[in-house]
């Protein structure tokens, strides 16, 4: 097995080996063709739901998953697949005590969990490279019987006011009686992949573990289409070998260790077990499990099928380890007589190349502990890629609910999205809890992904704006539970981030920017036409990703009648206008025709800005002069309005609508500058309540912001108050002031209450599995940090604020941004007592040497102590911590002030030449 990388020597020696592979990938070498593209949960998803009720969780359950074939995807543990997920390779395990073969991760459905759906396993994304030439995954498997029933029963009996009952709470790990199952993949070439499974017995006693690396085809042949049936078959050889033959993927061979027993069945439903029907095959999907556990005659003695496992029974000594190898390659047994020669050397080489790659993007001042957090965050981003397949037109037809085909049935989920055909590798929020893309999450994913693979990040933005995703009306798809829900319009921000990253390197992908700009104009027009019903430049939007933050369910009809004029929706559109303006400015450098769009989006921003705080004082506008804060406005059917005085992120988001225009740009485009100036002069009376863009700041820059200096100071005084928004680990979603002063709104004798809740939600709103009424969320904190830096680039050192409020310590806005970054990063870092706030009081994670340096990147964090909450593998947007750690080691005030681009987009190390 060769350790060399094809074509590497043709590129500059200054590049790391992984950067050279990325260069080859851009040139067409399929280094990304195989990767961790397998889901961690396919059951319970909308795609697999063919029920009349639309109850996806009940229609396809975890209990059925081992026996029932999927329609649209596959799942597994530490799995990989090709980029269309036709051929899959993952790990199955059995400890001789569990009632089922462990082929997939277990968790609770939304109805079973006292805080919604939740995975109840411990697994960690330890390492990964952007080409997936090396990746490492760690799964902790108990040696005693897995407590499936206990986890369901206890959680189901707990109230929303109680903590979740986790696997660690069952005591199953208390005496170290578990296996650390480490799975490594290393590519010798793009289609030659070695997998090494190392089983560490953490118990003092010997223990048995059955290890079954499993290869199978996604079932494409049982759904009525004329699809050729692929085959897996045993090959006569000195080693156990499986030949894989498929008209799409071609021929592959899976080589197993000499002691492995090859077992075959079909990836088809066990109709007897699932439906009580006649069997379609004697060797169904669960055949291998039934054979291993019970000796059943459910594997094909002829050695063929569509699912195959290499079964090895290990006796692992107490405190010791054992290893199992498999290799997936195009090379036949005639070509490959020693499939595992040099295996350890290949893995060592690829791991060393991963070390080299991450060293190259980590500033030297970053501590070892922070390096570990940053690397695992980026590994999680890369492990969270998934092949997402969903043909909505076909799905609606199969369910008999297509809106254009008889019999016509209205009111079906996603019925207006029949144009959608998704079959791509997409960055997921969490491959168990959210194994489907979420549009606004994905925009934030692109920021840490750009640290390691800007091309992939650009591809994600391109996907969301492509014909198979973007609705013909211009609406962005939200997520599969309801593609028509409205998420914040942050994709222009993400595209602009990537443009600034490239501009910092002296290069801009103009075709990419032009394509994004054109499609984003459709989305912008959709927002203006659909979400500004009054035409007054104040916007609705529904929940806008902030779930339960409001007094009411903002996506439902209001109990009062009327509508909400949303401070966050309006701020998002102001920011969208600024982003489009900045993109038009960048494109204008090459094509003067974009001058018209510069003028368009300048005007649009100022109309929105004027609407947030019209001239004069009125109790029905968003800005409250007395409180110095923005609020949603409830507009009643009679036209009257009242502020909903919840002090939340909704009122902080307006400071995020901030753009800085470089001074020399005005000199370079005098005609555009003249026309913009004429517009501003004509509307000078509307500039009194916002930052005046005619006034130059540092280096002649101009500021477009919804807030002037006075408003900014007043909002920051609240935001930086530790008794209100500023927590020890970031900005809280709702002011802590509401703990003792809940906001109450009475409607016809029914009390609607918002109170500060720093941990899990006590409300079932939006499923109850997330909480925006107190915890810290990384994406909004990241935008607030960017806003502080943007304002600093304009005001410089002349503007100082007290941080924390009441402390007497005065800071520049750059220093405040750094302080907030430190607090967020500290969530994951060991404190002075050696404890990680993210793990709260869980002693095993805080003290055990086999746990304490493994990091979980939760969905959100306790507003008072930083403990992780919600989805436990939401590296997605929580992966932003990687960029914050990098900037803390990279930034200084002087370079930020002098940077002509977005400092947060500045790469730490120049990218390799294309």
């Amino acid at each position: 097995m060769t350790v060399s990388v094809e074509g590497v020597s043709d590129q500059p020696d200054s590049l790391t080996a992984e950067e050279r592979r990325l260069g080859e990938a851009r040139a067409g070498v399929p280094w990304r063709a195989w990767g961790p593209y397998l889901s961690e949960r396919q059951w319970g998803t909308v795609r697999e739901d063919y029920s009349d009720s639309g109850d996806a969780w009940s229609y396809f359950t975890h209990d059925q998953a081992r026996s029932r074939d999927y329609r649209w995807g596959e799942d597994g543990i530490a799995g990989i697949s090709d980029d269309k997920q036709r051929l899959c390779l993952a790990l199955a395990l059995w400890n001789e005590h569990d009632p089922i073969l462990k082929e997939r991760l277990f968790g609770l459905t939304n109805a079973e969990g006292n805080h919604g759906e939740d995975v109840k396993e411990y697994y960690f994304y330890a390492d990964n490279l952007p080409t997936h030439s090396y990746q490492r995954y760690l799964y902790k498997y108990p040696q005693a019987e897995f407590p499936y029933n206990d986890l369901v029963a206890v959680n189901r009996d707990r109230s929303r006011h109680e903590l979740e009952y986790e696997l660690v709470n069952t005591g199953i790990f208390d005496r170290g009686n578990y296996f650390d199952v480490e799975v490594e993949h290393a590519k010798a070439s793009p289609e030659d992949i070695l997998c090494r499974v190392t089983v560490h017995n953490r118990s003092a006693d010997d223990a048995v573990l059955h290890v079954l690396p499993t290869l199978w085809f996604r079932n494409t042949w049982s759904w009525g289409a004329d699809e050729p049936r692929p085959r897996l078959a045993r090959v006569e050889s000195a080693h156990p070998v499986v030949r894989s033959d498929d008209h799409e993927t071609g021929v592959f061979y899976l080589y197993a260790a000499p002691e492995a027993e090859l077992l075959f069945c079909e990836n088809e439903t066990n109709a007897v077990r699932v439906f009580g029907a006649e069997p379609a095959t004697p060797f169904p999907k669960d055949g291998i499990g039934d054979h291993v556990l019970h000796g059943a005659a459910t594997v094909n003695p002829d050695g063929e099928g569509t699912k195959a496992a290499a079964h090895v029974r290990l006796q692992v000594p107490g405190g010791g380890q054992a290893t199992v190898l498999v290799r997936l390659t195009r090379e036949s047994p005639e070509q490959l007589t020693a499939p595992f020669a040099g295996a350890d050397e290949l893995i060592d080489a690829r791991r060393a190349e991963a070390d080299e790659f991450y060293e190259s993007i980590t500033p030297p001042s970053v501590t070892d502990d922070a390096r570990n957090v940053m690397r695992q965050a980026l590994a999680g981003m890369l492990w969270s890629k998934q092949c997402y397949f969903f043909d909505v037109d076909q799905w609606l037809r199969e369910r008999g609910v297509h809106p254009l085909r008889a019999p016509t049935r209205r009111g079906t989920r996603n019925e207006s999205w029949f144009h959608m055909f998704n079959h791509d590798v997409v960055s997921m929020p969490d491959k168990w809890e959210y194994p489907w893309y979420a549009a606004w999450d994905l925009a934030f994913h692109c920021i840490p992904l750009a640290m390691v693979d800007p091309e992939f990040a650009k591809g994600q933005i391109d996907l969301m704006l492509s014909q198979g995703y973007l609705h013909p009306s211009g609406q962005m798809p939200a997520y599969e539970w309801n593609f028509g829900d409205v998420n914040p319009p942050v994709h222009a921000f993400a595209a602009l981030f990537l443009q600034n990253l490239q501009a910092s390197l002296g290069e801009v992908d103009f075709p990419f920017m032009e394509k994004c700009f054109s499609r984003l104009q459709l989305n912008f027009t959709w927002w203006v036409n659909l979400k500004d019903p009054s035409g007054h430049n104040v916007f609705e939007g529904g929940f806008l990703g902030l779930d339960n933050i409001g007094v009411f369910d903002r996506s439902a009809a209001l109990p009062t009648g009327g509508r909400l004029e949303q401070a966050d929706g309006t701020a998002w559109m102001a920011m969208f206008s600024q982003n489009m303006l900045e993109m038009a400015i960048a494109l204008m450098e090459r094509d003067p025709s974009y001058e018209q769009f510069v003028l368009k989006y300048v005007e649009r921003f100022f109309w929105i800005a004027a609407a947030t705080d019209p001239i004069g004082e009125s109790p029905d506008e968003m800005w409250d002069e007395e409180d110095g804060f923005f609020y949603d406005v409830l507009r009643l059917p009679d036209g009257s309005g009242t502020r909903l005085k919840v002090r939340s992120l909704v009122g902080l988001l307006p400071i995020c609508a901030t753009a800085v225009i470089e001074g020399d740009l005005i000199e370079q485009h005098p005609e555009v500058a003249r026309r913009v100036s004429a517009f501003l002069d004509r509307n000078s009376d509307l500039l009194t309540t916002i930052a005046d863009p005619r006034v130059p700041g540092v280096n002649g820059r101009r500021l477009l912001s919804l807030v002037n200096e006075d408003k900014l100071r007043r909002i920051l005084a609240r935001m930086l108050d530790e008794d209100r928004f500023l927590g020890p680990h970031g900005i809280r979603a709702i002011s802590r002031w509401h703990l003792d002063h809940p906001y109450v709104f009475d409607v016809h004798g029914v009390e609607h209450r918002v109170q500060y809740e720093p941990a899990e939600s006590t409300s079932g709103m939006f499923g109850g599995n997330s909480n925006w009424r107190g915890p810290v969320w990384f994406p909004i904190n990241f935008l607030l940090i960017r806003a502080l830096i943007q304002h600093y680039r304009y005001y410089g050192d002349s503007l100082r604020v007290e941080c924390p409020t009441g402390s007497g310590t005065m800071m520049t806005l750059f220093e405040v941004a750094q302080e907030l970054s430190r607090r967020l990063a500290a969530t994951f870092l060991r404190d002075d007592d050696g404890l990680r706030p993210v793990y709260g009081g869980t002693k095993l994670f805080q003290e055990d040497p086999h746990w304490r340096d493994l990091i979980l990147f939760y969905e959100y964090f306790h507003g008072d102590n930083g403990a992780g909450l919600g989805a436990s593998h939401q590296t997605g947007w929580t992966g932003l911590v990687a960029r914050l750690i990098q900037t803390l080691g990279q930034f200084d005030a002087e370079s930020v002030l002098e940077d002509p681009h977005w400092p947060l987009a500045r790469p730490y190390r120049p990218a390799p030449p294309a």
Side-chain angles (χ1 to χ4, degrees):
M1 184 177 297
T2 179
V3 178
S4 62
V5 180
E6 299 170 0
V8 160
S9 60
D10 298 333
Q11 299 188 53
D13 292 338
S14 60
L15 303 182
T16 66
E18 179 63 8
E19 287 171 321
R20 283 176 272 170
R21 280 189 289 266
L22 286 169
E24 288 187 337
R26 286 193 292 273
V29 179
W31 282 108
R32 297 190 191 90
W34 282 80
Y37 308 144
L38 202 61
S39 176
E40 282 160 351
R41 177 176 64 82
Q42 184 69 14
W43 60 272
T45 60
V46 167
R47 281 157 288 157
E48 301 296 338
D49 179 20
Y50 285 77
S51 69
D52 291 333
S53 65
D55 184 357
W57 287 109
S58 298
Y59 179 75
F60 202 132
T61 66
H62 174 270
D63 183 58
Q64 293 176 340
R66 67 181 182 274
S67 307
R68 186 176 176 184
D69 63 314
Y70 293 124
R71 172 68 174 100
W72 297 102
E74 296 290 336
D75 54 19
I77 297 173
I80 63 172
S81 75
D82 64 278
D83 57 10
K84 295 301 179 185
Q85 205 183 90
R86 293 187 66 89
L87 185 60
C88 310
L89 176 65
L91 187 65
L93 303 164
W94 186 47
N95 57 14
E96 297 195 345
H97 296 286
D98 281 354
I100 60 175
L101 188 66
K102 176 70 73 172
E103 294 181 277
R104 57 189 46 80
L105 300 168
F106 173 73
L108 306 182
T109 69
N110 184 270
E112 291 170 338
N114 61 322
H115 295 291
E117 62 267 28
D118 189 43
V119 69
K120 298 300 182 186
E121 306 257 22
Y122 292 116
Y123 55 102
F124 303 88
Y125 304 134
D127 211 354
N128 212 321
L129 285 169
T131 64
H132 313 297
S133 297
Y134 177 76
Q135 53 185 34
R136 185 162 61 95
Y137 180 110
L138 183 68
Y139 173 64
K140 292 183 177 286
Y141 186 35
Q143 292 171 2
E145 180 179 340
F146 195 91
Y148 292 104
N149 295 332
D150 182 43
L151 287 165
V152 172
V154 174
N155 278 287
R156 182 175 277 157
D157 289 343
R158 290 192 174 186
S159 74
R160 292 193 183 277
H161 295 273
E162 296 177 273
L163 295 174
E164 294 179 6
Y165 183 60
E166 304 290 2
L167 182 58
V168 70
N169 302 134
T170 67
I172 203 162
F173 295 107
D174 283 356
R175 288 186 278 180
N177 294 332
Y178 68 94
F179 299 105
D180 266 338
V181 182
E182 181 184 38
V183 182
E184 296 171 282
H185 298 100
K187 293 182 181 179
S189 67
E191 296 183 316
D192 188 349
I193 307 164
L194 177 74
C195 174
R196 181 173 72 183
V197 181
T198 307
V199 178
H200 305 267
N201 183 358
R202 299 305 182 195
S203 168
D205 301 321
D206 294 358
V208 171
L209 181 64
H210 295 249
V211 179
L212 296 91
T214 304
L215 185 72
W216 75 100
F217 285 105
R218 174 168 55 83
N219 188 324
T220 57
W221 58 89
S222 295
W223 300 93
D226 186 20
E227 178 79 14
R229 187 186 188 95
R231 295 306 292 168
L232 302 173
R234 182 187 298 118
V235 175
E236 293 301 324
S237 174
H239 280 267
V241 181
V242 177
R243 176 188 165 101
S244 162
D245 201 345
D246 172 49
H247 74 287
E248 290 284 348
T249 58
V251 175
F252 277 92
Y253 296 90
L254 181 74
Y255 293 83
E259 65 274 19
E261 176 191 15
L262 296 181
L263 304 173
F264 292 82
C265 67
E266 302 293 343
N267 185 19
E268 296 181 8
T269 297
N270 182 338
V272 176
R273 178 176 184 268
V274 178
F275 300 117
E278 289 297 314
T281 172
F283 315 116
K285 180 178 177 179
D286 53 13
I288 291 171
D290 285 349
H291 176 77
V292 172
L293 271 69
H294 309 298
T298 50
V299 294
N300 191 337
D302 294 334
E304 63 177 12
T306 48
K307 178 179 178 182
H311 175 211
V312 178
R313 183 181 186 273
L314 298 176
Q315 179 84 24
V316 190
Q321 65 184 53
T323 299
V324 173
L325 294 171
V326 293
R327 181 179 176 184
L328 185 66
T329 179
R330 296 270 189 201
E331 294 187 57
S332 69
E334 291 77 22
Q335 300 168 295
L336 193 61
T337 56
F340 300 116
D344 290 342
E345 290 80 3
L346 173 67
I347 290 176
D348 290 346
R350 292 293 178 264
R351 184 182 284 202
E353 289 165 1
D355 293 342
E356 174 195 40
F357 177 74
Y358 283 105
E359 182 67 22
S360 74
I361 64 169
T362 307
S365 61
V366 175
T367 66
D368 288 344
D369 190 30
R371 285 168 184 261
N372 175 48
V373 171
M374 175 178 152
R375 182 163 172 173
Q376 287 190 55
L378 293 169
M381 297 299 308
L382 296 169
W383 268 104
S384 295
K385 295 180 183 180
Q386 177 184 315
C387 175
Y388 184 86
F389 181 31
F390 197 11
D391 180 345
V392 180
D393 179 78
Q394 184 65 29
W395 180 74
L396 290 168
R397 293 187 195 210
E398 290 171 353
R399 298 178 78 237
V401 293
H402 199 291
L404 302 182
R405 292 175 169 83
T408 302
R409 290 168 53 191
R410 298 293 184 184
T412 298
R413 173 185 283 139
N414 296 326
E415 65 183 4
S416 65
W417 291 80
F418 53 83
H419 77 286
M420 289 187 70
F421 182 87
N422 300 169
H423 198 179
D424 302 282
V425 173
V426 186
S427 177
M428 297 290 140
D430 178 321
K431 290 205 296 185
W432 192 94
E433 188 149 339
Y434 304 111
W436 27 261
Y437 63 82
W440 84 298
D441 297 52
L442 185 59
F444 288 103
H445 296 184
C446 291
I447 293 167
L449 282 170
M451 294 170 62
V452 292
D453 195 350
E455 290 298 315
F456 179 77
K458 284 164 57 179
Q460 297 295 282
I461 298 298
D462 190 50
L463 271 183
M464 289 300 111
L465 296 173
S466 67
Q467 187 174 358
Y469 290 75
L470 193 69
H471 195 275
S473 67
Q475 185 179 6
M476 196 83 67
Y479 37 70
E480 67 175 34
W481 285 94
N482 184 0
F483 285 125
D485 260 352
V486 183
N487 277 185
V490 289
H491 293 78
F493 164 77
L496 198 56
F497 182 95
L498 297 172
Q499 182 264 325
N500 274 269
L501 182 149
Q502 289 193 303
S504 296
L505 300 171
E507 56 188 49
V508 177
D509 186 346
F510 282 106
F512 169 74
M513 293 298 294
E514 289 168 344
K515 187 162 55 173
C516 286
F517 187 85
S518 174
R519 295 169 180 173
L520 285 165
Q521 286 223 89
L522 290 174
N523 185 233
F524 190 94
T525 302
W526 178 87
W527 269 89
V528 171
N529 290 341
L530 271 293
K531 296 302 174 181
D532 179 17
S534 69
H536 294 160
N537 294 292
V538 288
F539 289 83
E540 302 175 3
F543 86 114
L544 285 177
L546 306 186
D547 293 17
N548 63 341
I549 202 167
V551 180
F552 312 114
D553 180 342
R554 300 195 304 170
S555 287
L558 299 176
T560 59
R563 57 187 174 82
L564 280 181
E565 296 175 351
Q566 296 179 217
D568 56 337
T570 304
W572 287 123
M573 282 303 290
M575 182 171 139
F576 196 176
S577 302
Q578 293 170 340
N579 296 155
M580 295 299 283
L581 167 63
E582 291 190 72
M583 290 175 71
I585 289 172
L587 291 166
M588 182 177 65
E589 297 297 314
R590 192 172 82 154
D591 184 349
S593 70
Y594 281 90
E595 291 180 3
Q596 62 179 313
F597 298 112
V598 172
L599 297 168
K600 170 184 175 177
Y601 288 108
V602 165
E603 291 183 7
R604 176 59 70 176
F605 166 72
F606 281 104
W607 296 139
I608 296 172
T612 63
D613 184 13
I615 296 173
E617 289 302 311
S618 173
D620 65 349
E621 61 191 43
M622 294 175 181
W623 174 254
D624 187 311
E625 181 61 27
E626 181 180 355
D627 289 0
F629 207 71
F630 288 97
Y631 300 110
D632 283 348
V633 173
L634 175 61
R635 185 68 59 189
L636 296 170
D638 64 4
S640 64
T642 184
R643 298 187 188 107
L644 300 177
K645 291 194 173 186
V646 179
R647 294 170 189 169
S648 71
L649 291 177
V650 166
L652 296 181
L653 275 166
I655 70 172
C656 297
T658 305
V660 174
I661 308 301
E662 292 297 317
D664 58 3
L665 189 71
I666 298 170
E667 298 174 4
Q668 293 167 10
H669 300 277
E671 178 57 22
V672 175
R674 184 192 65 76
R675 295 175 66 184
V676 169
S677 181
F679 168 79
L680 296 175
D681 290 342
R682 187 168 63 252
N683 296 281
S684 60
D685 57 327
L686 301 180
L687 304 181
T688 57
T689 61
I690 64 174
D692 190 337
R694 298 171 299 181
V695 179
V698 171
N699 294 335
R701 293 181 177 125
R702 308 303 170 94
L703 179 67
L704 278 67
S705 175
L706 289 182
V707 296
N708 57 23
E709 183 177 340
D710 176 65
K711 284 182 178 175
L712 180 62
R713 287 182 178 276
R714 296 183 69 189
I715 293 171
L716 291 181
R718 290 192 183 278
M719 189 180 95
L720 301 177
D721 188 333
E722 293 183 310
D723 292 328
R724 287 178 166 77
F725 282 102
L726 182 60
H729 299 285
I731 301 299
R732 303 172 173 115
I734 282 183
S735 171
R736 199 175 189 279
W737 184 82
H738 284 305
L739 177 64
D740 299 319
H741 306 87
Y743 181 77
V744 179
F745 193 90
D746 185 273
V747 181
H748 308 307
V750 177
E751 184 181 275
H752 298 263
R753 173 185 294 258
V754 176
Q755 189 166 19
Y756 174 73
E757 299 179 36
E760 299 281 15
S761 173
T762 59
S763 163
M765 196 183 295
F766 285 91
N769 65 330
S770 69
N771 183 22
W772 288 83
R773 293 187 173 183
V776 172
W777 292 76
F778 267 70
I780 305 300
N781 272 261
F782 186 86
L783 289 180
L784 291 169
I785 290 169
R786 174 188 171 271
L788 289 165
I789 292 175
Q790 289 287 81
H791 281 102
Y792 176 70
R793 294 176 65 225
Y794 175 78
Y795 290 109
D797 294 338
S798 66
L799 176 55
R800 294 177 179 268
V801 296
E802 195 175 27
C803 181
T805 300
S807 67
T809 301
M810 303 302 292
M811 294 186 184
T812 66
L813 297 185
F814 172 73
E815 290 168 336
V816 175
Q818 294 291 84
E819 172 63 17
L820 183 51
S821 297
R822 279 190 288 270
R823 290 186 182 222
L824 289 161
T827 305
F828 302 98
L829 302 175
R830 289 186 191 155
D831 61 19
D832 292 340
D833 296 320
L835 305 178
R836 300 187 193 277
V838 64
Y839 289 136
T842 308
K843 290 183 66 176
L844 188 66
F845 278 94
Q846 298 287 19
E847 299 175 3
D848 191 295
H850 299 302
W851 294 73
R852 62 179 306 197
D853 291 327
L854 299 170
I855 310 299
L856 292 175
F857 297 89
Y858 287 82
E859 185 178 4
Y860 52 97
F861 302 87
H862 195 291
D864 294 338
N865 60 39
L869 301 165
S872 57
H873 290 75
Q874 183 120 352
T875 317
W877 59 22
T878 301
L880 289 163
V881 71
R883 181 59 183 142
L884 296 179
I885 289 171
Q886 190 184 50
T887 61
L888 284 169
Q890 173 186 6
F891 282 3
D892 61 81
E894 182 179 357
S895 68
V896 165
L897 273 186
E898 296 304 316
D899 197 331
H901 309 290
W902 287 7
L904 275 177
R906 185 199 313 159
Y908 167 66
R909 176 183 173 186

